[in-house]
Amino acid sequence: MNNLTRRELMKRFGAAGLSLGLFGASKEAWSKSAPHIVIVGGGIGGVSAAKYLRILDKNVKITIIEPNKEYIFCPGSNEVLNDFTSIEELTVNYENIKSRYAVNVIEDLATDIDYSAKKVKTKNSGTIAYDKLIVAPGPDYKFSDIEGYSKDLAEGDFPHAWKAGPQTLKLREQIHSMPQGGVVAISSPPMPYRCPPAPYERASFISEWLTRHNPTAKILILDSKNSFTFRKHYLDYWTKARGYGTKDAMIEWIPMEKGGKVTQLDAANNTLVTADGERIKADVINIIPAHTAGKFAHATGLTQGNEWVPIDPMDYRSTLDKDVFVVGDATESSPMVKTGYLASNHAKAVAQSIVNELAGKPPVQPLYTNNCVALTGEDYGMTITDTFRVKDGKIIKQYGHQSTELDNDALHHIRASLAMNWQRAFRRDIFE
Amino acid sequence: MKKSLMIGLITASAFFGVTSAQASGALIPPEEFASDPQIPGKMLGDNCSACHGTLGRFYDESMPPLAGIPRDVFIKLMQDFKNEVRPSIVMNHVAKVFTDAEIERMADYFAAQTDRPWKEEDVLKGGQ
Ligand SMILES: Cc1cc2nc3c(=O)[nH]c(=O)nc-3n(C[C@H](O)[C@H](O)[C@H](O)COP(=O)(O)OP(=O)(O)OC[C@H]3O[C@@H](n4cnc5c(N)ncnc54)[C@H](O)[C@@H]3O)c2cc1C
């Protein structure tokens, strides 16, 4: 691979699209002795790992296993609901990762790991041997926590839209075709789930669309928590812009302690049932289910009987197997929250650790930041700055700051454009 | 004793996720980590990429690029952010977590990066 010119690589991996057969071709391209780093999951964590690995090491062989042709970013996907952005804008493909970074992308689902033989099994492409394995499957959803809800219903008339894609578009269409004065009910999940402020961001963007097109409609947030990230900001914005707290309020938020926890879906009657037995009928129902680690992490025993994958925070190495690393939403990383920003930073630590280990160098002390953004509207942004260090094998939150200023339109405006900028820069940092 | 108690509290509050909002503002001074194993400049600096671009090399509407920034300028900026001499919406909170030595290592890292857009890089050939 050292001797391969860029043009040759382009020819092999580029435009025409890489088919499964290329896995064979790659053997030609890379010397047989090159260490093989296999990555399960071509989302934010997995692709960050591939890209940052390649930046550090031109000689390893890198393979991503991912069933989808394209990746649709979740950050920004709430803004699709009010046509503030589009799914196309959030969609990227793997061409760049293949051609520019010489990463082999296999379009398939990984199904199992043979730890002793160091092989990953796939649904259609046989088994793939690895020297180091990075697992980044994201979360799975616990539909069964809400009686009557299911994956099928989520893919049908009750989208959760917590993975950007067809469900996001379905939810958008449902909101846009709702009768005048209709009700949208959002069930917000218990912690931990990815992007803690996003259910409230979602309610805000839906309310923006409704204000323009369906001003007598209502949004009811039924919460399985008693508080949420950026609550002060959201309540402030909803009070000023959406009549929150008055009888004409467009948005109502019902915390768990006031009976907000949803326990059941009566799909036939478009009705949610709460823990107190109250029945709430709505025109659009958006249940964001509780999360657990992605199926693959459970099926392979990486979760070791837990909801999330235990890792050593020094380099996100699985505590089950020293040649397997797990990054992103699937990991037990508290006190970190589950964000793309952090998933990409886990991946950088893994890349550095693998490269050092292959070179016989000692591991590197990590640092993980989560400098994230959120929006309530086109003109109102918020920022969060978290820093995590690792000491004695534990993740320590060195600092966590959330923007607090309420009555400052200029600041809200700057933070909103910062947030939009961040979304674009972040997509490019992972995929460009 | 006091320090470990504080760390315990922060971790415990964050465990409940939502209440971590209340931990907002609690900073463990970076100097308390000064005797930990060194975090290399690259590990520190690559945390900046989501806003400033891969290796600090986005030259567009993103945040200002960092690649090729003279060492002294970077140190002065970060120290001013850290000490709140230079007000900023986000950077004061970003900078105050780093020790002086860490800021210097990041300065070395960014000063050594090619000051050309990342999208022009021939990644496979290298030549950083
Ligand atoms: C509405 C919303 C808004 C958000 N906004 C932000 C934000 O502003 N900022 C932020 O930082 N984060 C945000 N997030 C969170 C962010 O999207 C996630 O934290 C991030 O995607 C986690 O990365 P990951 O790699 O762990 O998982 P993902 O990005 O979900 O990637 C997982 C990948 O693994 C693949 N996969 C799963 N199983 C297999 C298998 N068996 N074999 C092969 N491939 C498999 C999947 O197809 C998928 O492509 C938001 C999330 C939502 C839902």
Side-chain angles (χ1 to χ4, degrees), chain A residues 40-46 65-68 71 74-78 94 108-111 136-139 161-163 194-195 198 201-202 296 327-330 338-343 370 372-373 422-423 426:
Chain A
V40 172
I44 292 174
I65 307 169
E66 161 65 48
N68 301 300
Y71 180 75
C74 285
S77 64
N78 283 327
Y94 297 95
D108 204 347
L109 196 71
T111 54
W162 219 242
K163 177 169 175 46
R194 52 169 155 191
C195 200
E201 185 182 76
R202 171 169 291 180
F296 183 77
V327 298
D329 289 350
K338 296 185 185 301
T339 67
Y341 199 109
L342 275 163
N370 178 47
C372 257
V373 294
W422 175 83
Q423 286 180 5
F426 185 60

Side-chain angles (χ1 to χ4, degrees), chain A residues 40 65 108-114 119-127 295-301:
Chain A
V40 172
I65 307 169
D108 204 347
L109 196 71
T111 54
D112 206 357
I113 304 172
D114 181 340
K119 283 183 176 149
V120 185
K121 294 190 182 128
T122 64
K123 197 169 167 207
N124 303 313
S125 321
T127 58
K295 264 196 193 65
F296 183 77
H298 284 290
T300 52

Side-chain angles (χ1 to χ4, degrees), chain A residues 86-347:
Chain A
S86 65
I87 284 282
E88 291 71 36
E89 179 82 18
L90 307 178
T91 304
V92 288
N93 62 39
Y94 297 95
E95 285 309 313
N96 233 353
I97 289 302
K98 291 176 195 170
S99 61
R100 237 188 126 196
Y101 298 90
V103 172
N104 189 13
V105 180
I106 298 182
E107 202 182 304
D108 204 347
L109 196 71
T111 54
D112 206 357
I113 304 172
D114 181 340
Y115 293 98
S116 53
K118 294 176 72 166
K119 283 183 176 149
V120 185
K121 294 190 182 128
T122 64
K123 197 169 167 207
N124 303 313
S125 321
T127 58
I128 297 160
Y130 63 82
D131 292 288
K132 302 285 173 199
L133 180 67
I134 304 172
V135 177
D140 196 11
Y141 303 101
K142 301 204 304 186
F143 294 102
S144 60
D145 278 11
I146 297 202
E147 199 188 325
Y149 195 36
S150 65
K151 186 165 183 281
D152 284 347
L153 286 172
E155 284 163 6
D157 287 337
F158 298 89
H160 58 67
W162 219 242
K163 177 169 175 46
Q167 290 193 28
T168 314
L169 293 174
K170 175 79 184 185
L171 182 61
R172 174 188 169 280
E173 177 215 305
Q174 288 179 330
I175 289 158
H176 290 209
S177 57
M178 194 170 70
Q180 287 296 311
V183 175
V184 182
I186 299 173
S187 167
S188 187
M191 294 291 274
Y193 61 95
R194 52 169 155 191
C195 200
Y200 314 93
E201 185 182 76
R202 171 169 291 180
S204 303
F205 280 107
I206 295 174
S207 76
E208 195 281 327
W209 194 90
L210 292 174
T211 300
R212 284 186 283 130
H213 302 279
N214 192 346
T216 54
K218 301 264 184 239
I219 302 167
L220 199 56
I221 306 170
L222 297 158
D223 215 323
S224 295
K225 305 179 289 301
N226 286 325
S227 190
F228 57 90
T229 315
F230 290 129
R231 181 174 134 182
K232 257 173 67 180
H233 279 292
Y234 282 109
L235 295 189
D236 173 56
Y237 182 75
W238 296 344
T239 302
K240 286 171 184 155
R242 309 285 181 247
Y244 184 81
T246 71
K247 70 174 183 12
D248 296 324
M250 175 174 272
I251 300 179
E252 216 179 308
W253 172 64
I254 303 165
M256 182 168 75
E257 62 197 5
K258 299 259 168 66
K261 187 176 177 59
V262 169
T263 54
Q264 199 186 328
L265 167 69
D266 175 356
N269 293 303
N270 253 48
T271 297
L272 290 170
V273 185
T274 67
D276 300 345
E278 202 179 326
R279 295 175 63 83
I280 296 156
K281 198 171 162 64
D283 298 277
V284 176
I285 289 178
N286 175 221
I287 300 171
I288 304 162
H291 292 28
T292 187
K295 264 196 193 65
F296 183 77
H298 284 290
T300 52
L302 282 168
T303 46
Q304 302 176 58
N306 304 294
E307 291 287 350
W308 308 101
V309 178
I311 44 85
D312 176 351
M314 268 298 284
D315 57 0
Y316 275 75
R317 198 183 295 260
S318 157
T319 58
L320 185 72
D321 187 296
K322 69 172 178 36
D323 294 315
V324 179
F325 299 77
V326 186
V327 298
D329 289 350
T331 58
E332 173 51 69
S333 294
S334 53
M336 292 180 189
V337 288
K338 296 185 185 301
T339 67
Y341 199 109
L342 275 163
S344 74
N345 284 337
H346 302 162

